[in-house]
Amino acid sequence: MTKYVNSLADLKTQISGWQRNGNKIGLVPTMGSLHEGHLSLISLAHENCDKVVTSIYVNPQQFSQTEDFDSYPRTLNKDLEKLSELRVCDLVFNPTQMYHESHATIIAPTGVAEPLEGQIRPHFFGGVATIILKLFNQIQPDIAIFGEKDYQQLLVIKQLTRDLDLPVQIIAGQTFRETDGLAMSSRNSYLSDSERKLAANIYRVMQITAENLQSGIEVSKAIQNAVNKLARVGINKIDYFSLRDPITLEPLSTFKKDARLLVALYVGATRLIDNIAVSFVQSGAINSEYNQLRET
Ligand code: PAF
């Protein structure tokens, strides 16, 4: 069984031993309910450092009162089993207490934290930045891994690290997808069988939109087509389906350089997010992944 600690004191004992031995420490912050996407991030950490810490903590500060903090899947025993099988995680930090009762400090990220998720969930990135800064201070990792699945979160963490001179290298891990293209997410477990099938359209429509943009269709038209396609299959509640600058997240009304397509929508009552890179290539250059999906 993978070793795990619940208290800051036990964490410090373990970490200081590693630091004395000159080990390079990698951190993969998670909220648990681990799937293959998380495991790939943990393996990536292992490739880049000597000791890997996975934190498992469902952070109340990043949920609003109306969100799913209480129902968020908590599967600690299964998570520990998966980590044992993976064999590359040296320590799990599953804190019983993260905030003391009089905790009163929240980081307030602006810049890349402002659009998209920042507009719809204004509490979210403050909560994420605060917990990540705490984890960085507690664990003092040399590297930390974040998935591209949460692309805006990745940019917010890079900005936090740069702006506050945190001595941590941020490494991005690729999005892991189910065979039908749905991005792996702990929240996929909320979907019924029929919703799960419906959710496969998200990636398919994003891929079609990328191809449309690459073949010269105007941004506004390509996005309207996508929204219509999603509506036709019954996905009507869309928070955003937006083409953005991949570094600043500024909206792009024309497609003249590499871009990122970011999506947040509801399948039934479940809010899902996804994103893909849209590289600025000559028309007709469609990747084989897309061809495969189009045929299904
Ligand atoms: O992506 C997540 O699971 C969370 O936002 C994170 C980074 C672990 C912070 O709680």
Side-chain angles (χ1 to χ4, degrees):
M1 190 59 104
T2 305
K3 185 166 180 183
Y4 84 98
V5 291
N6 300 122
S7 73
L8 200 49
D10 289 343
L11 175 77
K12 294 270 179 212
T13 308
Q14 181 67 74
I15 299 282
S16 56
W18 288 340
Q19 284 169 335
R20 265 197 308 278
N21 293 333
N23 288 310
K24 186 172 174 184
I25 298 171
L27 168 66
V28 183
T30 80
M31 299 206 294
S33 183
L34 302 181
H35 50 66
E36 274 179 67
H38 293 115
L39 301 183
S40 76
L41 302 181
I42 295 163
S43 299
L44 186 60
H46 174 68
E47 285 162 28
N48 284 278
C49 66
D50 304 309
K51 298 289 178 191
V52 178
V53 182
T54 302
S55 63
I56 297 184
Y57 179 67
V58 185
N59 173 33
Q61 299 252 7
Q62 66 191 73
F63 291 79
S64 75
Q65 298 259 314
T66 56
E67 290 179 344
D68 56 341
F69 175 72
D70 290 333
S71 57
Y72 196 86
R74 289 164 173 83
T75 56
L76 184 62
N77 288 339
K78 273 197 197 149
D79 292 348
L80 293 173
E81 269 171 38
K82 286 181 188 169
L83 291 173
S84 292
E85 275 167 30
L86 190 67
R87 290 168 182 273
V88 297
C89 176
D90 298 283
L91 184 69
V92 173
F93 179 42
N94 175 227
T96 35
Q97 200 200 354
M98 183 50 95
Y99 302 99
H100 56 74
E101 272 165 28
S102 53
H103 180 99
T105 304
I106 291 284
I107 299 284
T110 56
V112 290
E114 284 176 297
L116 304 169
E117 291 300 292
Q119 291 206 329
I120 291 154
R121 308 175 66 205
H123 56 282
F124 178 64
F125 287 124
V128 169
T130 304
I131 191 74
I132 293 303
L133 184 56
K134 277 173 78 69
L135 287 166
F136 283 1
N137 284 332
Q138 293 169 342
I139 297 166
Q140 297 179 13
D142 299 282
I143 64 160
I145 315 275
F146 292 85
E148 283 188 348
K149 157 75 172 46
D150 299 302
Y151 187 76
Q152 189 176 6
Q153 171 174 278
L154 170 68
L155 294 185
V156 170
I157 302 297
K158 282 186 173 168
Q159 176 181 271
L160 172 82
T161 307
R162 187 201 60 211
D163 290 356
L164 301 186
D165 307 303
L166 307 178
V168 188
Q169 183 195 354
I170 305 301
I171 299 180
Q174 280 180 0
T175 302
F176 252 58
R177 297 185 180 278
E178 305 288 354
T179 46
D180 63 5
L182 178 65
M184 289 189 188
S185 160
S186 306
R187 289 190 169 101
N188 292 351
S189 65
Y190 297 154
L191 300 170
S192 67
D193 288 350
S194 58
E195 288 169 345
R196 171 65 192 78
K197 280 192 194 124
L198 209 57
N201 286 289
I202 303 167
Y203 184 57
R204 209 174 54 83
V205 171
M206 285 196 317
Q207 291 281 357
I208 292 169
T209 308
E211 192 220 352
N212 284 344
L213 291 165
Q214 286 164 340
S215 67
I217 294 182
E218 272 173 42
V219 173
S220 57
K221 266 197 190 140
I223 288 181
Q224 192 54 55
N225 282 346
V227 170
N228 294 344
K229 275 196 174 64
L230 289 167
R232 276 202 294 277
V233 297
I235 298 177
N236 298 303
K237 196 171 170 204
I238 299 177
D239 279 346
Y240 53 82
F241 193 110
S242 188
L243 191 72
R244 299 278 162 153
D245 179 286
I247 310 289
T248 63
L249 292 184
E250 270 161 32
L252 298 177
S253 54
T254 54
F255 179 54
K256 291 186 187 146
K257 57 175 186 173
D258 288 352
R260 200 94 196 173
L261 190 59
L262 295 105
V263 180
L265 48 70
Y266 285 81
V267 176
T270 304
R271 187 174 189 273
L272 299 174
I273 61 169
D274 200 351
N275 69 88
I276 55 170
V278 189
S279 40
F280 187 63
V281 290
Q282 296 296 311
S283 65
I286 308 166
N287 65 37
S288 59
E289 197 178 14
Y290 166 72
N291 275 333
Q292 239 179 4
L293 278 162
R294 198 167 53 162
E295 278 154 24
T296 56

